Amino acid sequence: MSIAELYNIFKEYPLVSTDTRKISQDCLFFALKGENFDANTFAGEAIKQGAAYAVVDCLDLPKNPQFIFVDNVLKTLQDLAHYHRKQLGLPVVGLTGTNGKTTTKELINAVLSQKFKTSATLGNLNNHIGVPLTLLAITPETEVAIVEMGANHQKEIEFLCAIAEPDFGLITNVGKAHLEGFGGFEGVKKGKGELYDFLSKSNETVFVNHDNNYLLEMSNDKVFKEVVYYGTSSLCYVSGELLANDPYLKIAWRQGGHQETVQSQLTGIYNFENILAAIAIGKKLGLTNEEVNKGIEIYQPTNNRSQIIKTAKNTVIGDFYNANPSSMAVAIENIAKLDAGKKILILGDMFELGDESQAEHQTIVKQVGKHSFDEVIFIGKEFSKQQQAPFSFYTDVEVLKKHLENNPIEGALILLKGSRGMKLEQLMEQL
């Protein structure tokens, strides 16, 4: 079956599922393969649960009029998503970066939704499966789409751009993450820079943080339809100034001779540039200052990304969705600047750093030592290799949980940060 023929079926049954545990009535089930599973074996079950059709690539399956046989289910999903994107013809904002992708995507969506019917990546469905699912979830009523693109190796952003074909693009920043897959920091720059490469070749518009020297360097040698700068310089299309961080950010911003002040529900100085990015995109796409400000003001962070959580005993900066050396460093500097009577760090290992893991964990321990925190707790095998007074070190979360049960923390501002695999959310009950 051709993609055009499959698209006609998709228009009749526009819901897509890749998980038999989440089958919607009359959806299209795509039987993907993984390292430890082959969803072709669940195709019949998907039909029984209400799927209109199952897209499969195993010729050994029994004949079924509701099975659509293709050469490769994953490629078909990606091709169908690209075809759908082309038929819609709506503007797509694509973004990537080492840190702040999801928060920036949510901010952009909050701002643009004040004027347009928007569709944005759900959660962090930003890989070779997530981006196609994001595109296929766009309805004909959508006026602007915001697509987050993630990567842990080179050529991945290039591939995702070919599927999503963004008209506007943004790299939040480049930092030390997935060093193992990218082959070092220069590999990260090259990999994330594939978004700039695509926008340049396609003659599209790029938004660049003027305060970030890496992004300036990466964008300066390319030609775009338009370069829109945001940052602290008055020369930028949108310029801004941080007014307060106590602990929520309040900023002043200026565009076209008009100055505005906006209070956000975000913490972390590092989110200042993410707010400016959303403002710049909103203004470029024709929103009023009032619409932009409302979008920034209503956005509340979730999913343990720079999220302030008040418990019965403490205030926790829950920033443990993920971590890398870059995001860890700025989170530490942020809490160091906050005004609180008692400040405690609980930091977990950072994953996927390859040969640079020991050096990067050592750097974080040294950075913490430059500040005067009331208590610092490190968790994980990598941090435990760096043991030194006066810090506490625990090999895993379970051991620390038992310690906290017997030695509860009270009345503190706590930064809880580490890689997703550390499962630091298990500590919230004790905090």
Side-chain angles (χ1 to χ4, degrees):
M1 180 176 287
S2 70
I3 291 298
E5 291 171 319
L6 179 58
Y7 189 66
N8 286 329
I9 295 175
F10 168 74
K11 286 194 292 185
E12 190 173 351
Y13 304 101
L15 294 175
V16 170
S17 175
T18 61
D19 188 342
T20 51
R21 296 168 297 182
K22 300 174 183 176
I23 294 294
S24 301
Q25 188 65 34
D26 290 331
C27 72
L28 295 183
F29 175 70
F30 282 76
L32 299 175
K33 293 187 181 76
E35 288 184 14
N36 303 310
F37 69 91
D38 182 351
N40 280 282
T41 60
F42 304 121
E45 181 62 29
I47 298 298
K48 286 180 185 176
Q49 291 184 34
Y53 290 94
V55 181
V56 297
D57 55 14
C58 176
L59 297 178
D60 295 333
L61 290 175
K63 297 287 188 203
N64 187 319
Q66 289 173 277
F67 286 174
I68 297 173
F69 288 88
V70 298
D71 290 333
N72 183 297
V73 172
L74 175 58
K75 187 176 187 305
T76 300
L77 178 70
Q78 294 163 341
D79 289 348
L80 182 66
H82 180 239
Y83 193 91
H84 181 51
R85 187 264 177 274
K86 297 292 281 185
Q87 303 309 305
L88 290 168
L90 80 176
V92 172
V93 179
L95 73 155
T96 188
T98 300
N99 302 312
K101 289 186 297 296
T102 300
T103 298
T104 305
K105 177 257 302 181
E106 294 292 349
L107 280 166
I108 294 169
N109 189 36
V111 168
L112 295 183
S113 63
Q114 302 307 310
K115 179 180 175 69
F116 303 107
K117 291 180 180 177
T118 63
S119 182
T121 301
L122 287 175
N124 70 328
L125 289 173
N126 60 21
N127 64 4
H128 63 295
I129 297 171
V131 167
L133 291 176
T134 294
L135 293 171
L136 289 169
I138 300 173
T139 64
E141 294 76 33
T142 302
E143 295 173 297
V144 181
I146 305 104
V147 179
E148 178 183 333
M149 295 179 283
N152 56 22
H153 57 268
Q154 291 178 42
K155 298 296 182 183
E156 197 167 0
I157 297 299
E158 178 184 284
F159 179 71
L160 297 178
C161 283
I163 297 173
E165 292 194 16
D167 305 278
F168 303 91
L170 166 80
I171 300 176
T172 56
N173 49 58
V174 286
K176 296 178 178 179
H178 305 296
L179 296 178
E180 193 170 17
F182 279 114
F185 180 56
E186 288 303 314
V188 173
K189 288 166 62 179
K190 188 174 180 181
K192 300 298 184 182
E194 289 163 11
L195 176 58
Y196 286 169
D197 295 338
F198 177 87
L199 295 168
S200 177
K201 290 174 186 173
S202 304
N203 192 34
E204 303 292 1
T205 298
V206 66
F207 292 82
V208 178
N209 180 359
H210 193 269
D211 296 341
N212 189 309
N213 290 331
Y214 292 128
L215 298 181
L216 285 178
E217 173 196 326
M218 291 161 59
S219 60
N220 277 345
D221 63 346
K222 295 177 176 62
V223 178
F224 302 93
K225 177 181 179 181
E226 185 178 8
V227 181
V228 181
Y229 291 110
Y230 59 93
T232 54
S233 169
S234 60
L235 299 176
C236 294
Y237 174 73
V238 167
S239 60
E241 177 188 358
L242 182 63
L243 299 178
N245 178 31
D246 56 356
Y248 297 107
L249 300 182
K250 181 178 183 180
I251 75 166
W253 62 274
R254 179 181 291 272
Q255 193 274 322
H258 300 283
Q259 180 157 314
E260 298 282 337
T261 300
V262 63
Q263 174 69 58
S264 79
Q265 299 183 65
L266 279 163
T267 190
I269 297 170
Y270 45 88
N271 276 313
F272 168 68
E273 61 195 49
N274 299 332
I275 294 172
L276 284 186
I279 292 171
I281 290 173
K283 290 303 298 178
K284 202 64 192 175
L285 270 63
L287 273 71
T288 65
N289 292 355
E290 291 74 19
E291 289 169 333
V292 167
N293 285 341
K294 185 179 178 183
I296 299 299
E297 289 166 352
I298 65 170
Y299 172 65
Q300 285 186 299
T302 57
N303 298 328
N304 306 313
R305 292 179 172 91
S306 301
Q307 189 174 356
I308 294 181
I309 307 161
K310 292 189 181 296
T311 70
K313 297 180 287 186
N314 302 288
T315 299
V316 179
I317 300 177
D319 198 11
F320 48 87
Y321 184 84
N322 220 335
N324 56 59
S326 304
S327 66
M328 188 75 84
V330 294
I332 292 166
E333 293 306 310
N334 181 67
I335 190 172
K337 291 182 173 72
L338 292 178
D339 186 19
K342 183 179 180 182
K343 290 190 275 191
I344 293 175
L345 306 188
I346 302 178
L347 307 179
D349 276 358
M350 304 171 289
F351 292 5
E352 296 184 55
L353 297 178
D355 294 339
E356 298 184 46
S357 183
Q358 185 167 339
E360 293 298 343
H361 283 85
Q362 185 179 60
T363 297
I364 294 298
V365 174
K366 287 180 179 178
Q367 179 189 0
V368 170
K370 295 176 182 177
H371 299 286
S372 298
F373 295 110
D374 292 275
E375 186 177 0
V376 178
I377 299 170
F378 291 104
I379 321 169
K381 295 176 181 176
E382 289 300 307
F383 272 131
S384 291
K385 295 174 184 176
Q386 310 296 331
Q387 296 210 24
Q388 65 182 64
F391 308 140
S392 302
F393 292 83
Y394 295 85
T395 53
D396 58 54
V397 167
E398 289 301 320
V399 179
L400 178 57
K401 277 175 69 176
K402 291 175 183 176
H403 171 79
L404 292 176
E405 286 169 4
N406 298 320
N407 303 273
I409 298 172
E410 295 183 359
L413 176 64
I414 303 169
L415 172 63
L416 184 62
K417 187 165 181 65
S419 277
R420 186 73 196 87
M422 290 300 297
K423 300 179 180 177
L424 297 184
E425 67 275 5
Q426 296 178 26
L427 295 171
M428 285 303 299
E429 194 175 329
Q430 279 70 42
L431 300 176

